[in-house]
Amino acid sequence: VRLVESGGGSVQAGDSMRLSCAASGQSFITYSMAWFRQAPGKEREFVAAITWTGGTTYYTDSVRGRFTISRDNAKNTVYLQMNRLKPEDTAVYYCNAVRGSTWRPFGSWGQGTQVTVSS
């Protein structure tokens, strides 16, 4: 699966933004998908995941209630709606196919999309 993230940019704290992840490959709809992020000087971290049916979602504590992950299997696209953004959300955001109860990424990483939130 080839992944292309988009939708990032620079916003003010409290603003909203929606990221998109376009995937190529027929098997996209069979994979659970997740968003990850990497802030400067930090390791990449899990943000949110969604099962292939879209019936189950999971979020890391710091974004639960503010971010919403969704997918459109007809468009081979995963979204991340981010509301009430905070400066600590600043990072490069990536999507990937995942497996297992720990949402372990197993696909190739895309180029990511930069999100910058200023206070």
Side-chain angles (χ1 to χ4, degrees), residues 15-75:
D15 286 350
S16 298
M17 180 181 292
R18 189 176 82 157
L19 305 182
S20 298
C21 168
S24 62
Q26 295 286 339
S27 54
F28 167 80
I29 62 172
T30 66
Y31 297 145
S32 293
M33 297 292 296
W35 284 95
F36 298 81
R37 65 187 180 186
Q38 186 168 21
K42 296 186 178 180
E43 294 187 354
R44 186 147 40 197
E45 65 172 355
F46 169 86
V47 176
I50 186 167
T51 54
W52 73 273
T53 63
T56 298
T57 56
Y58 187 80
Y59 301 90
T60 192
D61 288 345
S62 63
V63 307
R64 188 174 293 115
R66 300 188 298 121
F67 291 11
T68 302
I69 187 171
S70 61
R71 66 190 296 163
D72 185 338
N73 288 340
K75 296 182 178 179

